Amino acid sequence: MKIEVLADYIRTRLNLDEFVDADVSLNGLQVGRPGKEIKRIVCAVDASLATFRQAAEMQADAIFVHHGLFWGKPIAVTGAHYQRLAVLLEHDIALFAAHLPLDAHAELGNNATMAKLLGIADPQPFGLYHGKYIGYSGTLPKPMGVDEIASILDLGPETGLHVLPFGKDLVSTVGIISGGAAFEVQEAVAMGLDAYITGETSHTMYPYCQEAGITMICGGHYATEVFGVRQMANEFSGKLGLDASFIALPTAL
C-alpha cells in the first residue's frame, strides 16, 4: 500500500480534519517519503527512541502512535529529537500519529474501547474539550466495585493505578477520558456520575473529589491509552491486509 493511500485512510477513518482546531498535535502523516510502499506497520503509544529502534529491528515500514513528535510549535532538530528522526530516516520508516481523534473515536478510540470492555451498552459523548467530546459516559451492566473495574481494564499498581475512593462502594455510572484529564472529573460531578476513569491523578483534585463524594480511578496515562493503538493494529491487519503489530513499552505512569 502506498504511503499516500494509508495516510488518506487514517485521515478519513479517524476523522482527523474534525480536530484541526481542537488538537495541537500534528495528526496524520508526520514523517514519510513520497511514494513509499507500506507492508509492515507497528503501533505504539509513544513516538520514543525506544519505539523507533524496536520498529527498525522489526523491519517496519511505518509506525502509528498516539503521541507523535510534533505539537504545534517549531522544534529544533537537535538532541533527542534529532536522534529519533535519525532512526526514522536511516531506516526509511514513516510515522503516523493520532492524538485526540484516537481518544474520541466511537469505534476504535481509547475511551469507547474502555466503555465497551466495561459493558456499557449505550455510551454517550462526554468530556467537552475545545468544542469536541473526547470521552464517553454511561451505565455499567451491573454495579461494580473499583477492584472489578480496574481488573476488567487491566489497571493495577504496575500501571500506576491510583484511586480517590470518595464515592459509592458500588459504581453504576461512569465517565471515561483516557490520559491526562484529571480536571474533567468536574464534568462527571456535574452529571451526577458515581465514578470517573482517567489516566493521571492530580493533587488539586484530591480535596475536590473528597468534597464532591465521587470516586476517581486513575489507571495510568500509558495504560489507559493502549486501547486505541491496539485497535488500530487490528484495523490495519483486518481491514487493509497489512502486517501489523503492537509494541508495548509501558511506563507505569
Side-chain angles (χ1 to χ4, degrees):
M1 173 178 288
K2 293 294 184 183
I3 190 172
E4 292 84 0
V5 175
L6 181 55
D8 286 343
Y9 182 87
I10 292 171
R11 181 164 299 281
T12 301
R13 187 72 171 98
L14 295 180
N15 309 311
L16 300 189
D17 292 338
E18 295 182 11
F19 289 83
V20 171
D21 295 328
D23 195 353
V24 297
S25 171
L26 177 61
N27 293 307
L29 180 62
Q30 293 195 341
V31 179
R33 173 174 56 82
K36 178 177 174 59
E37 190 72 25
I38 307 294
K39 295 181 179 179
R40 177 173 295 166
I41 186 168
V42 297
C43 300
V45 174
D46 301 308
S48 66
L49 187 58
T51 296
F52 295 172
R53 284 175 171 167
Q54 190 165 334
E57 290 175 2
M58 297 170 67
Q59 298 183 321
D61 300 306
I63 304 168
F64 176 90
V65 297
H66 183 49
H67 301 135
L69 289 178
F70 303 102
W71 296 89
K73 295 181 180 180
I75 179 171
V77 183
T78 60
H81 191 54
Y82 176 92
Q83 293 179 47
R84 292 170 178 173
L85 286 171
V87 173
L88 295 179
L89 297 176
E90 178 184 352
H91 296 277
D92 191 22
I93 301 173
L95 176 67
F96 298 88
H99 184 229
L100 293 186
L102 193 60
D103 289 321
H105 199 273
E107 180 185 351
L108 302 170
N110 292 314
N111 301 309
T113 302
M114 284 192 278
K116 183 177 181 180
L117 288 171
L118 290 172
I120 297 174
D122 186 26
Q124 297 298 308
F126 169 83
L128 191 62
Y129 181 79
H130 290 189
K132 302 295 294 185
Y133 286 101
I134 58 174
Y136 288 90
S137 65
T139 302
L140 300 174
K142 64 174 184 177
M144 297 183 189
V146 169
D147 289 346
E148 184 175 2
I149 292 172
S151 177
I152 290 171
L153 299 178
D154 288 327
L155 306 176
E158 71 283 357
T159 72
L161 175 66
H162 286 84
V163 178
L164 306 186
F166 301 122
K168 300 176 181 177
D169 291 337
L170 292 178
V171 172
S172 295
T173 57
V174 297
I176 306 170
I177 304 178
S178 64
F183 284 82
E184 278 63 37
V185 68
Q186 296 171 89
E187 184 172 337
V189 170
M191 292 177 61
L193 302 178
D194 296 336
Y196 174 62
I197 301 168
T198 189
E200 297 181 16
T201 186
S202 164
H203 175 78
T204 305
M205 289 296 100
Y206 184 98
Y208 177 84
C209 291
Q210 187 177 43
E211 293 157 12
I214 190 171
T215 291
M216 184 158 76
I217 302 169
C218 306
H221 194 131
Y222 179 92
T224 58
E225 298 201 319
V226 298
F227 300 100
V229 287
R230 284 175 175 166
Q231 289 277 51
M232 289 304 295
N234 292 334
E235 178 87 359
F236 293 140
S237 175
K239 295 285 184 67
L240 302 182
L242 297 176
D243 179 356
S245 57
F246 168 69
I247 294 177
L249 292 168
T251 63
L253 297 171

